[in-house]
Each structure stands twice: as C-alpha cells, then as structure tokens.
Amino acid sequence: MHPDTILFNGNILTLNERHPQASAATIYGERFSFVGDDPTTLLLAGTRTKKIDLLGRTVVPGFCDSHIHLVGFGMNLLSQADLVGAADIDQILARLAQLAGRTTGWIRGYGFDQTKLSEARFPTRLELDQVSRDRPIVISRVCGHAGVANSAAIALLSEAEKSAGEVATGLFTEQALWAIYRYVPPPTEDELEQAILAAADVLLKTGITSVQTLLDVPQQLQGFSRLHRAGKLPIRVVAIPPWSAVDELYKNGLRTGFGDHWLKIGAAKLFSDGSLGAQTALLAEPYTDKTDTCGLRIYEPAELNRRVLDAQNKGFQVAIHAIGDLAVNETIDAIEYALANDPKQRDNTYHRHRIEHASLCSPNAMGRLAKNKIVVTFQPQFVASDTWTPDRVGAARTRWAYPFKSMIEAGIPATLSSDSPVEFPSAFECLASAVGRAAWSPEQTLSPMQALQAYCLGSAYAGHVDHQQGSIETGKLADFVVLSSDPSQLGASAIRNLTAEQVWIGGKRVS
C-alpha cells in the first residue's frame, strides 16, 4: 500500500538507537510505515500520497509529560485564582478578590510560594477573611502539599479534621488539607470535560502529545472516558488512579495496561511523604532550617509494603511519591519487598514500578534503584523553582538533590515531567531546565539528547507504551513535533525559546 503522507527533506531525530537520524518518513493510517532517506522514501509515493517538504526543519517524537494533574491544571485555568509569582500577601488577596467578584461559591487559588513573599510566611486565616467571611476560601502552596483556609472553610470541618491542622493560622498540610478539599463541590460532567480540553489545548501548543495523569479521585477517569467515546480526547492519556481505587478496578477486570492507544490504565499512586517546600518531605535527619522536624511519614513501612504488594498482586504497577531521602529508601524497601514476594516479577523489569520525584536521593539509594530498574520521574523545573533547597537541607544533602545526570549514568530508567499545576506544562521549559540547571545545582545537567530521550522514550517506557510511542520508527504511532530549530544543538536559553511549528498525532496534524 502506498503511504498516505511522506515527510522529506527533514532532520528527524528518531530516538531509535539503531537508526538515530533520518531525513524522511512515511505515514500510513495512524502509524509510521517507513523511516529512511529521501530518495528511498520518495519512491514509495502513490498518486494520492501527500508529500510534505520539511525544508530542513527538525522533527522529534511527541513529548510525553509523565507526571501531571491534568484535571487539576484545567480546573485551575477555568475557575481558580493564579497566585504564581505573587510578591506579597496583598497581591494574593487582590487576586482572590478579583475571582470572588466574578464567581459564586468557593474561592480557590493556587501556586504561591511563601518563601518568596515579601513577608516570608504563609498568609493567615484572618487575612483570607478580608476577602470573604461568608464564602469558603482555600489556597494551596505551589507544591500542593500545604494550604491556608479562611474561617468559613474551617467551619465546615469536623472537630477531628480541625485538630489535624492549625485552626488559629488556617494552615493545613497533607491529609489535613485534603480533608478541606472533600467539602468542595465536585465539578459537573461538563466542567470536568471542559477542564480536560482546556488543559490539553495548552499542552498541544508546546508539543506535548501524551500524558500520564494522576487521578485525584477515580471519578475523573469518567471524564476522560466520555471524551474518548465521543472521539474528542485530544491527547493520549495514561490514567494513574489512587491506590484506594485498586480493589474496585481489579473487581471490574481493570489493571495496568488496560485500554487502547488513546486511553489506558497506568500505575496505582501512593504517597510516602510530603514536599520539601512544605517541610513535610521525610528526611533521615532534621531539616537544616527547621531542626525540630524530619518531615512526615504517610505510611509506616509495614503498611507501605502491604499496599505495594497488594497492588502488584492485582496486576498494577505502582507510582509512589517520595521526595525526602528517608522516604526514597523506605519506598525502595517496599518495592523490593513486593518483588521478593513474586519471583516472576523479580526476574524481569516488566513491573516498571516508579518513584515520583526522588528529589533527595543518596548514592546508596541510587544503586538500589538501578539494580531493581525502578523508574524515576524527574521534574527539572523544580530545580529552578526550589532555590531555597541548600538552606533547607544543608550542603551535604544538597549534593543529592535532583541528581538527574547521576541517575541516568547509573542506568536508572528516567522520565521528564512538570507535575503541573505545580509547574507550568511547557515542553521547552522542561527541557531547558534539564539542560541548564539553576545556579545552586550546576553539576547534574543533562545533554539535550539525554533530556529528549527521557522526555519521549523514557516517559513512554514508564507508561508501558514504548512499543507504540516515544520514538519515530516503523510501526509506531505517528505522533511527532516539527520544531523551529534543532534542540540537540542548542543551549538552555535557546531551547526555552523553541516553538512547536507543527504537532501531529496519529498521522494527523492537530496544531
């Protein structure tokens, strides 16, 4: 059969190690049917084949954000106050007041960093009351692991829920914060679908053609499913449900890998600790700037072991949030426990169990990750945002912070992601942050090709979709991006200024 489309006269970075570069490719249906040079490829044309001259431009596989809260990002775009970059508490209050003036019900905001406010502290309950004493307000720190509520929101809580936070200041962290969110009315079906579409539109503009998205609640899967059934799902989705949904999914015959190349079930999500920004990440030794705490352990080790083994026994890969060095070690312990109790898993890497973040990773932990082929999802933009890291963990542990290069060189399977809405989901910001590290942490920079490999093929591997995505080769889905320049030849600042001139999914141009 003659191809539907031929791309030629291009600089195609295939990420296929057997054939890393090409100038031309053919597409038949949704997939690449040939990748090679111009003369050979053009001979395959039929009378109806569409020929596209790339004019020497660079083509890369579609980018995959391997850790994103897509619904949360979309809901933020549509219904929350953007507090990112707020300079002081007055700016936070002004942005919340603007939102209050055009909405009813709950008033929510996201994205502030208390360490970067002029007051260098969290806003308080009483300050949020200045915006409204009648409507409930909750705002979340950029990491999502700490937030502040006003008096109206706190009044909705039970006495036990109130005691888990600081009622006087309105500060709540981790599960205590999630208790507040349970009182927020869930989005309607239409609001959920509009949030997905709004978020996907942003991602496509920067060349992100697929995501692995955390489901904050299992019901969010229904929004993706409705769009998929209607043929309106704009990007490929691997949905990562919370561990609490494993039993119900298993009873209905669903497990990791169930689905098709548009919508698929991924890993089961667990939390081991909190965040460095909220000082709830679990450290082996106290925080340097808060010596009375080592952070927060979500599950005792025996319980974490049990949950990982249970998910694995039911056919689920696990994706475990672990940021602090002690949390990372306890998470590796749990994965090793599960693998040791299932010899079939131990003898291969099909499990592809994941640690999300692994922000403080000691050399010992790195060796264990490599030995067990445990996937680590990187968030390069965190390095630029978390400028306070050396003060928070001290000089010795700073050497272990976000050790991307060392991990890849150790043979640890790696991915890139944004953790949006923690960071803005820009492919070029993500790549640039990996290639050009922040000044406090210059040693762990990746080469442009290492970053591309992790962002495309590494992410596909983490989602069990590398047989269909992540590289440009015969038989794989024709998801790709035509770039304004060749990122493999650029430094961080130039990568940040790249544009996605064309975005294709399944052999069709979508942007």
Side-chain angles (χ1 to χ4, degrees), residues 25-72:
T26 66
I27 300 169
Y28 181 76
E30 295 182 281
R31 299 177 183 270
F32 291 110
S33 51
F34 182 78
V35 180
D37 58 36
D38 285 358
T40 306
T41 305
L42 289 168
L43 287 174
L44 303 174
T47 56
R48 297 184 179 180
T49 299
K50 182 178 181 179
K51 299 176 185 177
I52 297 177
D53 186 347
L54 294 168
L55 302 172
R57 288 175 294 184
T58 296
V59 175
V60 296
F63 303 122
C64 175
D65 193 316
S66 63
H67 182 115
I68 188 172
H69 303 260
L70 193 72
V71 172

Side-chain angles (χ1 to χ4, degrees), residues 13-250:
L13 306 181
T14 68
L15 303 189
N16 174 1
E17 61 180 13
R18 297 183 305 276
H19 189 187
Q21 201 155 9
S23 62
T26 66
I27 300 169
Y28 181 76
E30 295 182 281
R31 299 177 183 270
F32 291 110
S33 51
F34 182 78
V35 180
D37 58 36
D38 285 358
T40 306
T41 305
L42 289 168
L43 287 174
L44 303 174
T47 56
R48 297 184 179 180
T49 299
K50 182 178 181 179
K51 299 176 185 177
I52 297 177
D53 186 347
L54 294 168
L55 302 172
R57 288 175 294 184
T58 296
V59 175
V60 296
F63 303 122
C64 175
D65 193 316
S66 63
H67 182 115
I68 188 172
H69 303 260
L70 193 72
V71 172
F73 175 60
M75 292 301 297
N76 287 358
L77 290 174
L78 298 179
S79 63
Q80 292 199 37
D82 183 352
L83 307 180
V84 175
D88 53 38
I89 291 171
D90 282 344
Q91 280 193 12
I92 289 177
L93 300 182
R95 295 181 194 185
L96 291 171
Q98 289 176 355
L99 177 66
R102 63 178 189 271
T103 61
T104 59
W106 279 74
I107 302 167
R108 297 183 61 185
Y110 71 95
F112 72 93
D113 184 341
Q114 83 283 0
T115 68
K116 297 178 181 178
L117 300 176
S118 63
E119 298 87 351
R121 63 170 175 83
F122 283 95
T124 67
R125 170 179 64 87
L126 295 179
E127 286 167 333
L128 295 187
D129 284 348
Q130 296 173 30
V131 177
S132 178
R133 291 180 174 83
D134 302 317
R135 294 169 62 182
I137 302 174
V138 62
I139 61 174
S140 62
R141 189 187 179 279
V142 62
C143 64
H145 290 259
V148 182
N150 75 337
S151 298
I154 293 172
L156 299 172
L157 303 179
S158 68
E159 290 306 313
E161 290 168 337
K162 290 176 184 176
S163 66
E166 298 178 11
V167 171
T169 64
L171 178 64
F172 290 75
T173 63
E174 305 302 340
Q175 290 99 326
L177 179 60
W178 278 97
I180 297 175
Y181 292 152
R182 284 194 284 271
Y183 290 89
V184 179
T188 65
E189 288 187 3
D190 182 64
E191 288 171 339
L192 180 57
E193 291 173 22
Q194 290 305 311
I196 293 169
L197 293 173
D201 185 61
V202 172
L203 270 59
L204 283 170
K205 285 181 171 62
T206 187
I208 298 171
T209 58
S210 64
V211 296
Q212 293 161 29
T213 182
L214 288 301
L215 304 177
D216 298 321
V217 293
Q219 291 75 15
Q220 290 178 355
L221 182 60
Q222 297 169 6
F224 290 105
S225 182
R226 284 192 298 270
L227 288 171
H228 181 29
R229 288 197 306 271
K232 296 179 180 179
L233 193 60
I235 57 177
R236 303 194 194 278
V237 174
V238 173
I240 300 177
W243 179 87
S244 59
V246 164
D247 274 347
E248 191 64 26
L249 292 169
Y250 178 70

Side-chain angles (χ1 to χ4, degrees), residues 428-429 431-437 448 487 490-498:
F428 307 121
E429 279 292 337
L431 290 167
S433 297
V435 172
R437 297 271 288 213
L490 301 177
S493 59
I495 289 174
R496 188 170 282 110
N497 291 323
L498 285 171

Side-chain angles (χ1 to χ4, degrees), residues 407-426:
M407 285 185 174
I408 287 175
E409 291 180 347
I412 297 168
T415 81
L416 299 189
S417 63
S418 65
D419 199 8
S420 175
V422 177
E423 299 288 349
F424 189 79
S426 162

Side-chain angles (χ1 to χ4, degrees), residues 153-394:
I154 293 172
L156 299 172
L157 303 179
S158 68
E159 290 306 313
E161 290 168 337
K162 290 176 184 176
S163 66
E166 298 178 11
V167 171
T169 64
L171 178 64
F172 290 75
T173 63
E174 305 302 340
Q175 290 99 326
L177 179 60
W178 278 97
I180 297 175
Y181 292 152
R182 284 194 284 271
Y183 290 89
V184 179
T188 65
E189 288 187 3
D190 182 64
E191 288 171 339
L192 180 57
E193 291 173 22
Q194 290 305 311
I196 293 169
L197 293 173
D201 185 61
V202 172
L203 270 59
L204 283 170
K205 285 181 171 62
T206 187
I208 298 171
T209 58
S210 64
V211 296
Q212 293 161 29
T213 182
L214 288 301
L215 304 177
D216 298 321
V217 293
Q219 291 75 15
Q220 290 178 355
L221 182 60
Q222 297 169 6
F224 290 105
S225 182
R226 284 192 298 270
L227 288 171
H228 181 29
R229 288 197 306 271
K232 296 179 180 179
L233 193 60
I235 57 177
R236 303 194 194 278
V237 174
V238 173
I240 300 177
W243 179 87
S244 59
V246 164
D247 274 347
E248 191 64 26
L249 292 169
Y250 178 70
K251 288 175 184 176
N252 286 281
L254 306 182
R255 60 185 65 195
T256 297
F258 182 88
D260 60 22
H261 56 258
W262 279 101
L263 179 60
K264 194 180 293 286
I265 300 293
K269 177 71 183 294
L270 283 156
F271 283 86
S272 185
D273 67 346
S275 77
L276 288 172
Q279 293 170 315
T280 53
L282 183 63
L283 308 184
E285 301 291 339
Y287 282 83
T288 303
D289 61 352
K290 192 177 182 183
T291 57
D292 62 343
T293 184
C294 290
L296 178 67
R297 176 184 284 112
I298 303 294
Y299 299 112
E300 290 301 316
E303 178 60 14
L304 185 60
N305 291 356
R306 185 190 72 80
R307 290 181 180 230
V308 174
L309 179 60
D310 176 71
Q312 180 179 279
N313 286 345
K314 289 173 178 167
F316 282 85
Q317 172 192 22
V318 294
I320 307 176
H321 168 112
I323 284 182
D325 56 329
L326 183 53
V328 170
N329 274 307
E330 291 185 355
T331 298
I332 298 171
D333 290 343
I335 292 173
E336 288 182 338
Y337 173 81
L339 295 177
N341 280 276
D342 186 348
K344 296 191 302 297
Q345 295 284 359
R346 187 70 182 179
D347 293 340
N348 62 60
T349 58
Y350 180 74
H351 62 84
R352 301 187 192 182
H353 293 321
R354 303 165 47 151
I355 294 184
E356 311 302 296
H357 315 304
S359 304
L360 281 184
C361 189
S362 68
N364 174 263
M366 221 177 292
R368 297 171 67 199
L369 290 167
K371 177 182 176 182
N372 291 288
K373 294 299 179 186
I374 297 170
V375 178
V376 175
T377 63
F378 301 159
Q379 294 76 38
Q381 289 155 275
F382 283 10
V383 185
S385 297
D386 296 354
T387 53
W388 35 256
T389 300
D391 295 329
R392 185 135 299 172
V393 301

